[in-house]
Amino acid sequence: MSGSSSPRAKRIVGLGGTFRQASSSERLVRAVLAECEAMGAQTIMFDGPALARLPHYSPEQPGRSDEETALVDAVRNADGIVIGSPGYHGGYSGLVKNAVDLLEDLRSDDRVYFDGCPVGLVVTAAGWQACGTTLSALRDVIHAMRGWPTPVGVAVNSVEQRPFGPDGTLSDEGIARAVRAQAQQIMYFSMEPAS
Ligand SMILES: Cc1cc2nc3c(=O)[nH]c(=O)nc-3n(C[C@H](O)[C@H](O)[C@H](O)COP(=O)(O)O)c2cc1C
């Protein structure tokens, strides 16, 4: 009798956000993850406080902390990634950069860095210029690390658009559509997990 087992759920990892209580970039990443979950994915989030527990990346440091290992392992086993950053001085934040630098630990893996992996990018900034430059900078980083930035990137002007209602959920239908579209692309472009 041939056994048939259903494929495991896709694993999607989110990382990003800031220390702010109502971090808009964190909320956006979580919104994309929620859409992926609605399509059957398992998700895990590394938010601003979690990223802040990572030491400053040091290439020659012997050993890794539990927090560093958790992030590297999650990304290593991910079928798709979502990265969110605020625009800080026209670029992405140091918190996010430090986390991405740690992923240098994936350089010798069978799947190097983000090779072949869809990566959704979300940005919030107080102005449109930083929305564009930050999203573009993140795309370059993902390309450098062999990842596939999804065609849909989400950039939100947190002053003009105010995308979240008082309960923290997305209240702007246009942004919600973009978030949904990005989640669909992450799920669609990620490889089917082996059974
Ligand atoms: C240190 C710092 C630098 C910033 N630089 C810019 C900038 O260059 N351009 C811009 O439009 N907004 C800038 N902002 C505003 C943030 O990008 C904006 O408030 C963002 O939505 C914050 O994200 P969060 O809600 O996840 O904390 C800056 C904010 C901080 C704290």
Side-chain angles (χ1 to χ4, degrees):
M1 201 171 87
S2 67
S4 69
S5 54
S6 44
R8 64 164 174 77
K10 289 186 177 179
R11 301 176 184 130
I12 311 298
V13 173
L15 69 94
T18 66
F19 277 118
R20 293 181 55 248
Q21 192 84 47
S23 163
S24 54
S25 49
E26 176 191 327
R27 284 175 165 181
L28 264 191
V29 175
R30 289 190 187 278
V32 178
L33 292 182
E35 291 292 342
C36 292
E37 277 177 22
M39 288 180 269
Q42 273 177 356
T43 69
I44 179 168
M45 175 70 188
F46 295 86
D47 59 13
L51 298 184
R53 287 193 288 275
L54 301 172
H56 281 161
Y57 172 69
S58 164
E60 287 167 17
Q61 167 202 329
R64 293 284 176 225
S65 68
D66 290 348
E67 287 81 5
E68 289 175 304
T69 303
L71 177 63
V72 171
D73 281 350
V75 173
R76 173 174 286 137
N77 293 314
D79 301 298
I81 318 274
V82 187
I83 298 180
S85 177
Y88 275 4
H89 307 134
Y92 61 103
S93 71
L95 207 57
V96 172
K97 175 70 170 146
N98 189 51
V100 169
D101 286 347
L102 173 63
L103 300 177
E104 177 64 10
D105 280 8
L106 303 175
R107 72 183 172 282
S108 304
D109 275 28
D110 288 342
R111 182 183 80 191
V112 178
Y113 304 132
F114 303 126
D115 201 4
C117 193
V119 184
L121 298 170
V122 304
V123 166
T124 72
W128 288 114
Q129 182 164 300
C131 280
T133 53
T134 305
L135 185 59
S136 173
L138 278 171
R139 281 183 187 281
D140 285 348
V141 170
I142 301 311
H143 281 147
M145 296 176 75
R146 308 189 189 188
W148 298 70
T150 56
V152 173
V154 184
V156 170
N157 183 318
S158 50
V159 171
E160 282 185 19
Q161 295 184 288
R162 301 205 174 277
F164 298 98
D167 62 353
T169 56
L170 262 179
S171 53
D172 181 302
E173 187 41 39
I175 296 170
R177 261 200 308 275
V179 161
R180 216 171 298 130
Q182 181 176 98
Q184 283 165 352
Q185 292 184 344
I186 293 169
M187 294 297 283
Y188 178 75
F189 291 127
S190 50
M191 277 192 241
E192 219 42 68
S195 358

